[in-house]
Amino acid sequence: LYRGAKIQGRRFTGFVSWDGVARWLRLQRPDAIKISDATRQEALRVAGNASEDERALKLMEVLARDLGSFPGAPPPLWRAGLPPVDSVLKNQKANPSRRGLVLVALLAAAGIEAYPAMFSYRDHDVISPDAPTIRAIDGIAAYVPRSKGALILDPNQLTVSSEVVSPRLMGTRLVVAKGDAAEVVRAPSGEPERSKTAVRYDLKLDARGDVFGSLEAKLTGAEAGALRAALSEVTPEKYSEVTSAFLKSRGVPFALDSVSIADRNALRRPLSLTAQVNVRGVVEGEATEVNLASVKIVGLDTEAPAEVRRSPLLLGAPALVEIRGTLTLPEEWEHSFIPPGVQSRWAGGE
């Protein structure tokens, strides 16, 4: 907590509540939220004449996609520079706090009520509702009040949806600054049906025991945002490797070749991809009887879990994964046994 400081003999008091932080942020914002008439007209043009949600998502998409980041670790909130909106857009770079304030300003220019919402990503820290733990703050999002539940937009992430918030914000607390007052709210976790990975493949098994064919996938909500974020960190040459690893964690056991991705930069649309599958030696046995393990078609994680966690904490989001496939056998082959369907439930999933 920032309780105060003595600098050159003068005492500066600290924050005693989030209301104090909201007042401090308001005092920093007058110049930071100023925009020119040209920028205001551009915001109106980008937002268009659609519904309020759609207009907000359009502005969010532009910032999330086109506004770059400064190298190195993001500065804490109280040291984050807050240059005017026009300056940020001209330089095409912003830190996580400034990016959110720019979005709030553009939303206001487009006639949409919005407030800055300070947040801490749930895989990093937790905001205390009763004390101004400003060291925990990672950045600022835009909070748009609605009768059916607030729209929370984090332009630092690539999940752009009116139904699903960024996976790193799901379930965590945010501090919404409304003038001199602050309100602590919790970001919703979302419904699994809103974040879906649907995979369909058509495979052929040849007499040598090799499988080849095509795969199609469509991702929505947080699932689309998660894969887009992973792809944004690598060059196109790594797309097949990254996509294979992502889908493997969703139950697709194949290494993919020739991955083609559609609408990667259209953040409001589902993410679609096609790929080729070519896997050798998937069957076991010989002569007239061979076996094909079902986990080689719908994969499961068969590795033993580590006793301790040696990697960064990775938190997912409520999601639905659907895999449908067709496997064609060689003409002279016949199947003798197909395993029955199984269903399993556990705490929080099915």
Side-chain angles (χ1 to χ4, degrees):
L1 301 179
Y2 172 45
R3 302 181 62 182
K6 189 176 183 179
I7 302 175
Q8 296 182 347
R10 182 182 175 187
R11 182 68 183 177
F12 294 87
T13 58
F15 299 120
V16 296
S17 70
W18 284 113
D19 290 342
V21 180
R23 283 193 297 271
W24 170 82
L25 185 61
R26 179 181 61 80
L27 293 174
Q28 312 304 310
R29 290 178 58 201
D31 292 334
I33 62 175
K34 287 182 179 179
I35 61 176
S36 64
D37 289 337
T39 301
R40 183 176 291 104
Q41 292 301 319
E42 180 65 11
L44 288 169
R45 186 194 67 80
V46 171
N49 297 318
S51 65
E52 182 175 282
D53 285 4
E54 185 68 11
R55 288 185 289 136
L57 293 179
K58 287 180 179 180
L59 292 170
M60 156 80 166
E61 179 183 30
V62 172
L63 293 187
R65 182 189 61 209
D66 299 337
L67 198 57
S69 300
F70 291 105
L77 175 64
W78 64 91
R79 296 184 62 185
L82 300 179
V85 174
D86 293 284
S87 177
V88 174
L89 297 179
K90 180 180 178 180
N91 295 329
Q92 289 291 294
K93 286 186 178 181
N95 58 55
S97 298
R98 191 69 193 101
R99 191 188 304 266
L101 289 176
V102 169
L103 178 57
V104 171
L106 294 179
L107 290 170
I112 300 173
E113 181 184 8
Y115 302 96
M118 296 169 278
F119 63 79
S120 175
Y121 288 126
R122 65 190 183 112
D123 54 351
H124 174 221
D125 210 334
V126 177
I127 286 177
S128 169
D130 302 316
T133 47
I134 57 175
R135 284 186 177 273
I137 295 173
D138 289 319
I140 293 177
Y143 180 92
V144 180
R146 301 181 301 176
S147 59
K148 58 182 178 180
L151 183 61
I152 300 172
L153 303 174
D154 178 12
N156 300 285
Q157 303 296 307
L158 298 180
T159 300
V160 182
S161 170
S162 61
E163 300 171 333
V164 179
V165 301
S166 162
R168 297 185 71 191
L169 287 182
M170 286 187 178
T172 193
R173 297 189 186 103
L174 302 95
V175 179
V176 182
K178 299 181 178 179
D180 288 346
E183 179 183 0
V184 179
V185 302
R186 188 176 293 276
S189 294
E191 298 295 330
E193 294 78 9
R194 305 298 187 185
S195 300
K196 183 176 180 179
T197 293
V199 180
R200 186 173 186 87
Y201 43 73
D202 187 3
L203 306 178
K204 293 183 179 181
L205 178 68
D206 62 21
R208 296 173 300 181
D210 301 337
V211 162
F212 61 94
S214 61
L215 176 146
E216 297 180 355
K218 181 179 179 181
L219 292 77
T220 60
E223 290 287 273
L227 182 52
R228 282 189 171 108
L231 293 172
S232 69
E233 298 177 354
V234 299
T235 59
E237 293 77 15
K238 294 284 187 178
Y239 283 180
S240 293
E241 179 182 340
V242 170
T243 303
S244 296
F246 183 91
L247 291 183
K248 182 178 181 181
S249 67
R250 270 63 178 173
V252 177
F254 313 114
L256 306 179
D257 298 321
S258 304
V259 174
S260 177
I261 300 174
D263 296 325
R264 188 179 76 85
N265 293 320
L267 306 185
R268 291 179 294 124
R269 298 180 182 177
L271 182 63
S272 301
L273 62 93
T274 59
Q276 296 297 313
V277 176
N278 192 349
V279 185
R280 298 184 179 277
V282 298
V283 298
E284 300 175 354
E286 57 185 9
T288 60
E289 291 190 2
V290 296
N291 298 314
L292 175 61
S294 60
V295 294
K296 293 185 177 181
I297 301 298
V298 179
L300 297 174
D301 187 1
T302 57
E303 297 180 0
E307 294 183 0
V308 295
R309 179 168 56 84
R310 295 186 177 91
S311 60
L313 180 62
L314 300 176
L315 299 175
L320 179 66
V321 178
E322 177 184 275
I323 300 176
R324 296 177 182 270
T326 301
L327 179 66
T328 304
L329 303 179
E331 291 184 359
E332 65 274 16
W333 288 25
E334 295 180 357
H335 66 81
S336 59
F337 176 75
I338 297 178
V342 296
Q343 187 173 21
S344 179
R345 289 188 177 92
W346 60 93
E350 178 178 347

